[in-house]
Amino acid sequence: METNVAIGGRAGLVLEGGGMRGLYTAGVLEYFAERDLYFPYQIGVSAGACMAVSYLARQRGRNKAVNIGFAGDLRYLSWKKFLRHRRELFGMDFIFDEIPRSLVPFDFKRFEEAGEAFVVGTTDVETGLPAYYGKGEEGFDLLTLLRASSSLPFLAPIVEYKGRKLMDGGITDPIPIRRAESEGCDRTVLILTRHKGYAKSRNRLGWLLRKKFGAYPKFVEAMLRRHETYNGTLSYIEERERAGAAFVIRPALPLKVGRVEQDKAKLESLYAQGYQDAKRAYPRLTEWLNGACKAGSG
Protein backbone atom coordinates (compact mmCIF):
# COMPACT_ATOMS: atom_id res chain seq x y z
CA MET A 1 0.00 0.00 0.00
CA GLU A 2 1.54 3.30 -1.04
CA THR A 3 1.40 6.54 0.89
CA ASN A 4 -0.20 9.66 -0.51
CA VAL A 5 2.15 11.86 1.50
CA ALA A 6 4.57 14.14 -0.30
CA ILE A 7 7.48 14.66 2.07
CA GLY A 8 9.37 17.73 1.04
CA GLY A 9 12.30 19.42 2.71
CA ARG A 10 14.14 17.56 5.43
CA ALA A 11 11.52 15.83 7.56
CA GLY A 12 12.70 13.81 10.54
CA LEU A 13 11.29 10.98 12.60
CA VAL A 14 12.21 11.12 16.30
CA LEU A 15 11.72 8.02 18.48
CA GLU A 16 11.63 7.92 22.27
CA GLY A 17 12.81 4.85 24.20
CA GLY A 18 11.04 3.16 27.10
CA GLY A 19 11.99 -0.52 27.19
CA MET A 20 9.00 -2.73 26.43
CA ARG A 21 6.84 0.36 26.03
CA GLY A 22 8.62 0.48 22.68
CA LEU A 23 6.01 -1.98 21.40
CA TYR A 24 3.78 1.08 21.05
CA THR A 25 6.36 2.59 18.70
CA ALA A 26 6.62 -0.72 16.85
CA GLY A 27 2.88 -0.63 16.18
CA VAL A 28 3.05 2.91 14.83
CA LEU A 29 5.99 2.04 12.58
CA GLU A 30 4.21 -1.05 11.29
CA TYR A 31 1.36 1.14 10.07
CA PHE A 32 3.83 3.59 8.52
CA ALA A 33 5.52 0.69 6.73
CA GLU A 34 2.19 -0.54 5.39
CA ARG A 35 1.61 2.92 3.95
CA ASP A 36 5.16 2.98 2.58
CA LEU A 37 5.79 6.09 4.67
CA TYR A 38 9.49 6.72 5.31
CA PHE A 39 11.30 9.88 6.30
CA PRO A 40 14.61 11.27 5.03
CA TYR A 41 16.02 11.24 8.58
CA GLN A 42 15.47 9.00 11.63
CA ILE A 43 16.91 9.34 15.13
CA GLY A 44 16.11 7.20 18.15
CA VAL A 45 17.33 6.17 21.55
CA SER A 46 17.11 2.83 23.33
CA ALA A 47 13.96 0.93 22.31
CA GLY A 48 13.09 3.64 19.79
CA ALA A 49 16.33 3.04 17.91
CA CYS A 50 15.84 -0.72 18.08
CA MET A 51 12.36 -0.50 16.58
CA ALA A 52 13.54 1.88 13.86
CA VAL A 53 16.09 -0.45 12.30
CA SER A 54 13.64 -3.22 11.34
CA TYR A 55 11.32 -0.56 9.95
CA LEU A 56 14.12 0.91 7.84
CA ALA A 57 15.17 -2.57 6.69
CA ARG A 58 11.59 -3.02 5.39
CA GLN A 59 11.13 -6.09 7.61
CA ARG A 60 7.47 -5.77 8.42
CA GLY A 61 6.40 -7.80 11.44
CA ARG A 62 9.95 -8.30 12.71
CA ASN A 63 9.62 -6.01 15.74
CA LYS A 64 6.57 -7.97 16.84
CA ALA A 65 8.23 -11.32 16.23
CA VAL A 66 11.24 -10.38 18.34
CA ASN A 67 9.79 -8.35 21.18
CA ILE A 68 6.59 -10.31 21.70
CA GLY A 69 7.76 -13.66 20.37
CA PHE A 70 10.55 -13.90 22.97
CA ALA A 71 8.63 -12.34 25.86
CA GLY A 72 8.86 -14.73 28.80
CA ASP A 73 11.97 -16.42 27.39
CA LEU A 74 14.58 -16.50 30.16
CA ARG A 75 17.29 -15.85 27.58
CA TYR A 76 15.56 -12.54 26.82
CA LEU A 77 14.89 -11.38 30.37
CA SER A 78 15.53 -13.09 33.67
CA TRP A 79 15.14 -11.57 37.13
CA LYS A 80 16.57 -14.75 38.64
CA LYS A 81 19.77 -14.46 36.62
CA PHE A 82 20.01 -10.74 37.35
CA LEU A 83 19.61 -11.19 41.10
CA ARG A 84 22.13 -14.01 41.11
CA HIS A 85 24.84 -12.32 39.03
CA ARG A 86 23.98 -8.60 39.44
CA ARG A 87 25.07 -7.90 35.90
CA GLU A 88 22.22 -7.58 33.43
CA LEU A 89 18.47 -8.10 33.47
CA PHE A 90 18.05 -8.43 29.72
CA GLY A 91 20.14 -11.04 27.93
CA MET A 92 22.12 -8.52 25.89
CA ASP A 93 24.15 -11.11 23.95
CA PHE A 94 20.95 -12.98 23.13
CA ILE A 95 19.07 -9.83 22.05
CA PHE A 96 21.86 -8.08 20.17
CA ASP A 97 23.71 -11.03 18.69
CA GLU A 98 21.87 -14.36 18.61
CA ILE A 99 18.44 -13.03 17.63
CA PRO A 100 19.49 -10.71 14.77
CA ARG A 101 22.17 -13.04 13.42
CA SER A 102 20.34 -16.36 13.53
CA LEU A 103 16.94 -16.64 15.26
CA VAL A 104 15.09 -13.78 13.56
CA PRO A 105 17.69 -12.63 11.02
CA PHE A 106 18.05 -8.91 10.51
CA ASP A 107 18.52 -7.78 6.90
CA PHE A 108 21.75 -5.82 7.27
CA LYS A 109 22.10 -5.44 3.51
CA ARG A 110 18.64 -3.92 3.07
CA PHE A 111 19.23 -1.61 6.03
CA GLU A 112 22.50 -0.37 4.56
CA GLU A 113 20.96 0.13 1.14
CA ALA A 114 18.02 2.12 2.49
CA GLY A 115 18.39 5.75 1.52
CA GLU A 116 17.19 7.21 4.81
CA ALA A 117 19.62 8.62 7.37
CA PHE A 118 19.62 6.90 10.76
CA VAL A 119 21.19 8.11 14.01
CA VAL A 120 21.52 6.31 17.35
CA GLY A 121 21.66 8.38 20.53
CA THR A 122 23.76 7.15 23.47
CA THR A 123 25.19 8.64 26.68
CA ASP A 124 28.95 8.99 27.21
CA VAL A 125 29.49 7.84 30.79
CA GLU A 126 32.73 9.76 31.25
CA THR A 127 31.49 13.14 29.98
CA GLY A 128 27.85 12.82 31.02
CA LEU A 129 26.87 14.11 27.58
CA PRO A 130 24.96 12.67 24.62
CA ALA A 131 26.96 10.84 21.96
CA TYR A 132 25.39 10.31 18.54
CA TYR A 133 26.38 7.89 15.79
CA GLY A 134 25.03 7.88 12.25
CA LYS A 135 24.71 5.16 9.65
CA GLY A 136 27.45 5.52 7.09
CA GLU A 137 30.10 6.70 9.52
CA GLU A 138 33.38 4.82 9.30
CA GLY A 139 33.24 1.64 11.36
CA PHE A 140 29.57 2.10 12.25
CA ASP A 141 28.66 -1.00 14.31
CA LEU A 142 24.88 -1.11 14.44
CA LEU A 143 24.39 -3.92 16.95
CA THR A 144 26.95 -2.58 19.43
CA LEU A 145 25.40 0.87 19.27
CA LEU A 146 21.88 -0.45 19.77
CA ARG A 147 23.15 -2.40 22.77
CA ALA A 148 24.84 0.70 24.17
CA SER A 149 21.77 2.89 23.69
CA SER A 150 19.65 0.24 25.45
CA SER A 151 22.00 -0.40 28.39
CA LEU A 152 20.11 0.85 31.44
CA PRO A 153 22.06 1.81 34.56
CA PHE A 154 21.95 -0.97 37.21
CA LEU A 155 20.33 -3.37 34.71
CA ALA A 156 23.11 -3.68 32.11
CA PRO A 157 26.87 -3.13 31.92
CA ILE A 158 28.63 -0.20 30.27
CA VAL A 159 29.39 -0.77 26.57
CA GLU A 160 32.78 0.25 25.19
CA TYR A 161 32.81 1.59 21.64
CA LYS A 162 35.70 3.29 19.86
CA GLY A 163 37.38 4.25 23.11
CA ARG A 164 34.24 5.60 24.73
CA LYS A 165 32.09 4.16 27.51
CA LEU A 166 28.42 4.30 26.59
CA MET A 167 25.03 3.66 28.14
CA ASP A 168 21.33 4.40 27.70
CA GLY A 169 20.73 7.23 25.24
CA GLY A 170 17.55 8.20 27.06
CA ILE A 171 19.50 9.58 30.01
CA THR A 172 20.91 12.68 28.36
CA ASP A 173 18.68 13.15 25.30
CA PRO A 174 15.49 11.13 25.81
CA ILE A 175 13.61 12.58 22.82
CA PRO A 176 16.30 13.90 20.46
CA ILE A 177 14.25 16.49 18.58
CA ARG A 178 16.89 19.19 19.00
CA ARG A 179 19.52 16.92 17.47
CA ALA A 180 17.26 16.27 14.49
CA GLU A 181 16.73 19.99 14.02
CA SER A 182 20.45 20.71 14.36
CA GLU A 183 21.05 18.26 11.50
CA GLY A 184 18.72 20.11 9.20
CA CYS A 185 15.24 18.74 9.90
CA ASP A 186 12.73 21.55 9.37
CA ARG A 187 9.84 19.38 10.59
CA THR A 188 9.77 16.41 12.94
CA VAL A 189 7.31 13.62 13.59
CA LEU A 190 7.73 12.27 17.11
CA ILE A 191 6.58 8.93 18.48
CA LEU A 192 6.42 9.12 22.27
CA THR A 193 5.75 6.30 24.72
CA ARG A 194 4.23 8.42 27.48
CA HIS A 195 0.79 10.05 27.55
CA LYS A 196 0.29 13.81 27.31
CA GLY A 197 0.73 15.42 30.71
CA TYR A 198 3.30 12.91 31.95
CA ALA A 199 6.21 14.41 33.87
CA LYS A 200 9.28 12.53 35.06
CA SER A 201 9.94 12.63 38.81
CA ARG A 202 13.21 13.46 40.51
CA ASN A 203 15.61 10.55 41.05
CA ARG A 204 15.67 9.79 44.76
CA LEU A 205 18.44 7.21 44.63
CA GLY A 206 21.37 9.58 44.44
CA TRP A 207 23.24 7.67 47.12
CA LEU A 208 22.99 4.45 45.11
CA LEU A 209 24.06 6.20 41.90
CA ARG A 210 27.12 7.60 43.63
CA LYS A 211 27.96 4.20 45.04
CA LYS A 212 27.61 2.42 41.70
CA PHE A 213 28.98 5.12 39.38
CA GLY A 214 31.18 7.16 41.69
CA ALA A 215 34.05 6.89 39.20
CA TYR A 216 31.90 8.84 36.70
CA PRO A 217 30.69 11.97 38.54
CA LYS A 218 29.44 13.69 35.38
CA PHE A 219 27.30 10.67 34.59
CA VAL A 220 25.86 10.75 38.11
CA GLU A 221 25.05 14.45 37.63
CA ALA A 222 23.31 13.66 34.34
CA MET A 223 21.24 10.95 36.02
CA LEU A 224 20.24 13.31 38.83
CA ARG A 225 19.20 15.95 36.28
CA ARG A 226 17.37 13.44 34.12
CA HIS A 227 13.91 14.61 35.16
CA GLU A 228 14.81 18.21 34.28
CA THR A 229 16.19 17.13 30.91
CA TYR A 230 13.10 15.07 30.10
CA ASN A 231 10.50 17.57 31.26
CA GLY A 232 12.34 20.43 29.56
CA THR A 233 12.33 18.47 26.31
CA LEU A 234 8.58 17.96 26.56
CA SER A 235 8.10 21.71 27.00
CA TYR A 236 10.23 22.34 23.92
CA ILE A 237 8.20 19.81 21.92
CA GLU A 238 5.00 21.65 22.85
CA GLU A 239 6.55 24.89 21.58
CA ARG A 240 7.46 23.23 18.29
CA GLU A 241 3.94 21.82 17.97
CA ARG A 242 2.45 25.28 18.41
CA ALA A 243 4.83 26.58 15.78
CA GLY A 244 3.67 23.90 13.34
CA ALA A 245 7.13 22.31 13.23
CA ALA A 246 6.33 19.08 15.10
CA PHE A 247 3.65 16.40 14.91
CA VAL A 248 3.33 14.06 17.90
CA ILE A 249 1.88 10.56 18.11
CA ARG A 250 1.58 9.35 21.69
CA PRO A 251 -0.66 7.10 23.82
CA ALA A 252 -3.93 8.82 24.69
CA LEU A 253 -3.93 7.27 28.17
CA PRO A 254 -1.21 6.09 30.57
CA LEU A 255 0.20 2.76 29.42
CA LYS A 256 -0.38 -0.31 31.56
CA VAL A 257 2.89 -1.77 30.35
CA GLY A 258 6.14 -1.22 32.24
CA ARG A 259 9.70 -1.00 30.98
CA VAL A 260 10.31 -4.72 31.63
CA GLU A 261 6.81 -6.09 30.89
CA GLN A 262 6.75 -9.73 29.74
CA ASP A 263 3.02 -10.43 29.59
CA LYS A 264 2.42 -11.27 25.92
CA ALA A 265 -1.26 -10.30 26.01
CA LYS A 266 -0.40 -6.83 27.32
CA LEU A 267 2.37 -6.42 24.77
CA GLU A 268 0.06 -7.50 21.93
CA SER A 269 -2.48 -4.94 23.10
CA LEU A 270 0.16 -2.21 23.25
CA TYR A 271 1.38 -3.02 19.73
CA ALA A 272 -2.21 -2.87 18.45
CA GLN A 273 -2.73 0.43 20.28
CA GLY A 274 0.24 1.98 18.50
CA TYR A 275 -0.98 0.67 15.15
CA GLN A 276 -4.50 2.04 15.67
CA ASP A 277 -3.25 5.40 16.96
CA ALA A 278 -1.11 5.74 13.83
CA LYS A 279 -4.08 4.83 11.66
CA ARG A 280 -6.26 7.45 13.34
CA ALA A 281 -3.56 10.13 13.15
CA TYR A 282 -2.67 9.38 9.55
CA PRO A 283 -5.16 11.69 7.78
CA ARG A 284 -3.97 14.66 9.87
CA LEU A 285 -0.37 13.61 9.46
CA THR A 286 -0.87 13.46 5.71
CA GLU A 287 -2.23 17.00 5.64
CA TRP A 288 0.54 18.24 7.91
CA LEU A 289 3.34 16.67 5.88
CA ASN A 290 1.82 18.03 2.69
CA GLY A 291 1.91 21.49 4.26
CA ALA A 292 -1.85 21.93 4.60
CA CYS A 293 -1.84 21.67 8.37
CA LYS A 294 -0.17 24.34 10.52
CA ALA A 295 0.32 22.15 13.58
CA GLY A 296 -0.59 18.65 14.69
CA SER A 297 -0.71 16.30 17.64
CA GLY A 298 -1.65 12.67 17.85
Side-chain angles (χ1 to χ4, degrees), residues 21-31 51 63-64 67 191 271 274-275:
R21 292 194 304 272
L23 263 301
Y24 178 84
T25 300
V28 175
L29 295 179
E30 187 70 12
Y31 185 79
M51 300 305 171
N63 282 324
K64 183 176 183 180
N67 295 280
I191 304 176
Y271 183 86
Y275 183 93

Side-chain angles (χ1 to χ4, degrees), residues 9 24 37 44 67 75 77 81 84 104 120 125 130 141 152 159 167 180 188 204 211 226 246 250 253 293:
Y24 178 84
L37 175 60
N67 295 280
R75 296 171 297 174
L77 183 153
K81 188 184 337 182
R84 179 180 298 167
V104 187
V120 183
V125 173
D141 185 337
L152 305 173
V159 174
M167 290 203 84
T188 55
R204 301 186 183 279
K211 181 178 179 180
R226 189 175 185 181
R250 52 155 60 95
L253 298 171
C293 188

Side-chain angles (χ1 to χ4, degrees), residues 89-110:
L89 175 61
F90 289 91
M92 303 299 267
D93 288 340
F94 181 69
I95 294 171
F96 295 106
D97 187 20
E98 191 171 350
I99 289 177
R101 295 190 188 281
S102 60
L103 298 179
V104 187
F106 177 70
D107 192 339
F108 291 93
K109 184 174 185 293
R110 185 66 185 86

Side-chain angles (χ1 to χ4, degrees), residues 107-127:
D107 192 339
F108 291 93
K109 184 174 185 293
R110 185 66 185 86
F111 173 77
E112 290 296 332
E113 291 174 348
E116 300 84 14
F118 172 68
V119 177
V120 183
T122 69
T123 294
D124 186 312
V125 173
E126 294 181 312
T127 66

Side-chain angles (χ1 to χ4, degrees), residues 14 16 24 48 66 75 87 102 118 139 148 153 157 183 185 192 215 217 221 230 253 278-279 294 296:
V14 179
E16 182 179 13
Y24 178 84
V66 171
R75 296 171 297 174
R87 181 167 171 78
S102 60
F118 172 68
E183 297 203 326
C185 293
L192 308 186
E221 290 175 15
Y230 187 87
L253 298 171
K279 186 176 183 179
K294 298 298 183 182

Side-chain angles (χ1 to χ4, degrees), residues 115 187 205:
R187 291 167 296 162
L205 296 176

Side-chain angles (χ1 to χ4, degrees), residues 73-74 76-83 88-90:
D73 190 315
L74 295 181
Y76 190 95
L77 183 153
S78 173
W79 280 106
K80 183 177 181 180
K81 188 184 337 182
F82 172 70
L83 293 173
E88 58 185 41
L89 175 61
F90 289 91

